[in-house]
Amino acid sequence: MVSVTDFPRPDAQVHFGVFFQGVNHTTIWSDPAGGSQIDFETFRRVALTAERGLFDAFFLGEGLRLREQDGAILELDIAGRPDAITQLAALAGITRHIGLVATQNTTYNEPADLARKLGSLDVLSGGRAGWNAVTTDNAWTGANFRRGGFLDHALRYERAAEFVATVRAIWDAWDDGAIATSQQSPAWASAEAIHPVVRTGPHFDVRISPTLPRSAQGHPVIFQAGDSPAGRDFAAAHADVIFSRHGTHFDDALAFATDIRARLRAAGRPEDDIRILPGTQIILAEKESEVEEKVRWVKNGQYTGQTALSLAGQIWGRDLSGLDPDGPLPADDPQPRPISETRGAPRAGQDPAAIARDWRARAEAENLSLREVVIASTERSGFAGTPARVADELARWVRHGASDGFNISPYLVPTGLDEIVDWLVPELQERGVYRTEYTGATLREHLELREPLTRRS
C-alpha cells in the first residue's frame, strides 16, 4: 500500500460522482445484467448505490437530439434519456444526501426559465442541485429551436457568460432571512428583501421578480465541461467544478490541473477554488491475473462488430456496414471527407489516410481484424486493476493535485457501481482518502466548496 502522507497534499480527499451519460455507445446495454436506459428503476438503483458509496453527486448527461449518420438515425447510440431536471426531481424524493447535477445548455435555453427550474430542484432537494453549464454549436441540435448553428465558438461563451451572470442574479434576488421564521411575523416574506432583476445585454433582456428564495447552499453548484482555451477561461471565471476528459493519464491530468489553477489566479480566485473531477471508467478484478481478461470483456461489449464498422466508417468516409467486422480492414484508401456532420468524427483534426496507414500496419504486425484494430487503437480510458492497486493510483492523483476526484461512467447499468462501492471505496477509506460518512447536507458541503462567487465580500 502506498503511504499517502508522502504526497504534496497529504490531507486531500477523493471525491466521486457517477456520470450517467446522455448519448453513448460505451454502456454495455446488451449484457443480461444490463437494465433499461429509461426506466426510473435504473436511475433509482444507480443513485442509491452511489449514495451508499458516499458519492458527492449523481451527474446526468444530456442529448437534445438523436445523432445521425449519413442522414439516418444512428441506431448504435444509447439514447432516449428523460429530461434531466424532471428525472433529478424524482430522485430528490428518494435520496437524502447525494448531489443532483443536470447538464443544461446555455445556447438553447433562456436564463429566467432555467434559473427557476434549477432553483426549484435546489430548494426541493435541500440544497443538493448542480448545473453543468454547457454550450453547443451543433446545427442539427439548433434545428430543434429554429436557430441552427448560429453562434460561433467565441460567441457561444460570450452568451454563456451573460447567461450564467443572469441566472446567478436571479438566484441571489432574495436576501437571507427574507422568509418569516415565526408565525408571529407580520408577513410570510419581506417585500424589501426581494429584489427585481433587470439585466440587459447583447444576448438577453430580462426583467423579473424571482419567485424562489435561496436554497440551503445559496444556489446550485456550477459545473463546466469545456476544454478549449475559451472553455477553460470560462470555468476559471464562473465554475465551481470542472468535469474534464483528462481522466486516464496522470501527466496529462496534472498539466490540465496546473493550467486551470493558473487561470484561477489570473481571474483573481484562489487556486483551490475549483474542484477538478475528470470523467473516467474504472474496471476492477479481484485478482491481478484477472484484470486483462476483465478489460477485454468490457472492450468487446462496448465495441460490437457494428460499432467497430461505424467508427471505421468515419475514418474511411463511407458506409462500411457491408464488411465483416472480423475480417480485414478495407483495401482502399479513405475518402477525403467526413462521413456525416451530424455524427461527428473521432480523432478530429487528424489525417484519415494517416490513421488508415497506422491501422493497417498494426493489423499486419499483430494479425488483427478490423474490429480488433478499432479496439486496440481506442485508447484505454480510466483505470483497471485490483481494488488495492486502483485505490493507490487514485490516491496518488488526488494527493499530487492531478485531480480532486473522478466522475465515474459505469460500463454497465444499473450494476456497474456495485464493485466500486463494495471493493474500491473500503480500500480508499483504509488509506484515509475517502469519507466514512456524509458530514454535510448540501452538494457544496460535500465538495468542500466556498460560498457562491456572488456572495463573497
Side-chain angles (χ1 to χ4, degrees):
M1 182 189 302
V2 173
S3 172
V4 295
T5 59
D6 297 332
F7 295 148
R9 303 197 306 174
D11 298 323
Q13 297 286 294
V14 173
H15 294 271
F16 276 160
V18 55
F19 178 35
F20 207 114
Q21 299 187 54
V23 177
N24 75 96
H25 67 263
T26 56
T27 305
I28 309 174
W29 66 270
S30 58
D31 187 87
S36 167
Q37 298 289 308
I38 58 174
D39 285 354
F40 182 71
E41 174 60 22
T42 296
F43 304 122
R44 183 193 72 84
R45 180 165 175 183
V46 172
L48 291 179
T49 299
E51 190 167 72
R52 178 169 64 86
L54 306 175
F55 279 42
D56 291 57
F58 180 94
F59 185 106
L60 277 176
E62 184 67 290
L64 296 177
R65 185 175 171 120
L66 296 177
R67 291 194 293 183
E68 300 174 4
Q69 183 161 316
D70 275 358
I73 290 173
L74 184 72
E75 62 185 5
L76 300 175
D77 268 342
I78 296 168
R81 296 286 182 271
D83 172 71
I85 295 177
T86 303
Q87 183 186 147
L88 293 176
L91 291 174
I94 62 167
T95 55
R96 295 183 56 200
H97 300 285
I98 196 166
L100 305 164
V101 184
T103 298
Q104 296 289 292
N105 200 295
T106 62
T107 308
Y108 301 121
N109 273 301
E110 295 298 325
D113 182 51
L114 188 57
R116 176 174 168 79
K117 291 176 179 177
L118 290 167
S120 297
L121 177 64
D122 205 28
V123 169
L124 292 173
S125 66
R128 293 188 282 135
W131 171 29
N132 181 32
V134 299
T135 70
T136 296
D137 64 352
N138 297 340
W140 62 97
T141 299
N144 291 7
F145 305 93
R146 298 198 300 182
R147 290 178 180 170
F150 79 109
L151 287 177
D152 67 28
H153 193 271
L155 286 177
R156 279 165 39 208
Y157 280 108
E158 178 185 289
R159 176 185 167 96
E162 188 178 333
F163 195 114
V164 171
T166 303
V167 167
R168 277 188 159 137
I170 293 170
W171 288 337
D172 285 334
W174 287 52
D175 290 342
D176 291 333
I179 298 176
T181 57
S182 168
Q183 291 180 326
Q184 283 68 51
S185 298
W188 182 79
S190 168
E192 293 77 17
I194 303 172
H195 308 285
V197 174
V198 178
R199 308 279 299 194
T200 301
H203 298 277
F204 306 109
D205 186 357
V206 175
R207 288 166 174 79
I208 182 174
S209 294
T211 59
L212 285 171
R214 290 171 175 163
S215 75
Q217 65 175 348
H219 57 62
V221 173
I222 295 180
F223 289 63
Q224 199 273 340
D227 195 35
S228 67
R232 296 184 188 198
D233 283 340
F234 178 83
H238 302 286
D240 300 303
V241 183
I242 291 179
F243 172 40
S244 84
R245 60 180 177 80
H246 304 276
T248 298
H249 299 296
F250 177 84
D251 290 341
D252 173 55
L254 185 58
F256 174 80
T258 301
D259 178 70
I260 292 299
R261 290 172 186 133
R263 292 175 193 263
L264 281 168
R265 291 192 298 270
R269 297 175 63 182
E271 67 172 26
D272 64 346
D273 214 30
I274 279 181
R275 296 290 168 263
I276 301 172
L277 302 180
T280 200
Q281 176 178 269
I282 296 177
I283 301 173
L284 299 175
E286 290 187 278
K287 299 177 181 178
E288 194 70 45
S289 60
E290 300 171 346
V291 172
E292 287 306 314
E293 181 181 353
K294 184 75 166 285
V295 170
R296 280 194 298 272
W297 177 83
V298 171
K299 286 287 189 182
N300 285 330
Q302 292 174 324
Y303 295 89
T304 64
Q306 294 90 337
T307 296
L309 290 170
S310 174
L311 294 173
Q314 294 173 48
I315 303 301
W316 263 261
R318 64 182 178 86
D319 181 8
L320 299 181
S321 60
L323 297 183
D324 178 3
D326 296 316
L329 289 164
D332 59 318
D333 291 330
Q335 299 177 15
R337 65 176 182 86
I339 191 168
S340 170
E341 290 182 357
T342 57
R343 172 65 173 132
R347 304 168 178 85
Q350 298 185 37
D351 178 15
I355 295 173
R357 286 194 298 272
D358 290 343
W359 284 16
R360 287 190 182 117
R362 185 163 192 171
E364 183 176 355
E366 302 176 32
N367 192 29
L368 301 179
S369 68
L370 182 152
R371 182 184 182 209
E372 290 169 335
V373 170
V374 170
I375 292 174
S377 302
T378 302
E379 182 181 30
R380 176 185 290 184
S381 61
F383 305 89
T386 63
R389 179 152 64 92
V390 172
D392 282 342
E393 185 64 4
L394 301 189
R396 182 173 80 97
W397 277 53
V398 169
R399 298 214 153 161
H400 269 294
S403 75
D404 295 293
F406 303 88
N407 218 13
I408 301 169
S409 294
Y411 52 81
L412 193 65
V413 295
T415 60
L417 286 185
D418 292 356
E419 291 175 353
I420 292 169
V421 170
D422 295 335
W423 299 353
L424 180 58
V425 165
E427 292 283 351
L428 292 168
Q429 290 170 331
E430 184 178 341
R431 288 156 176 76
V433 296
Y434 196 85
R435 64 168 64 96
T436 56
E437 63 181 350
Y438 287 108
T439 57
T442 70
L443 177 56
R444 192 169 296 276
E445 290 171 330
H446 298 339
L447 290 163
E448 302 175 280
L449 291 167
R450 297 178 178 88
E451 62 183 349
L453 284 169
T454 54
R455 302 189 62 193
R456 300 181 191 178
S457 56

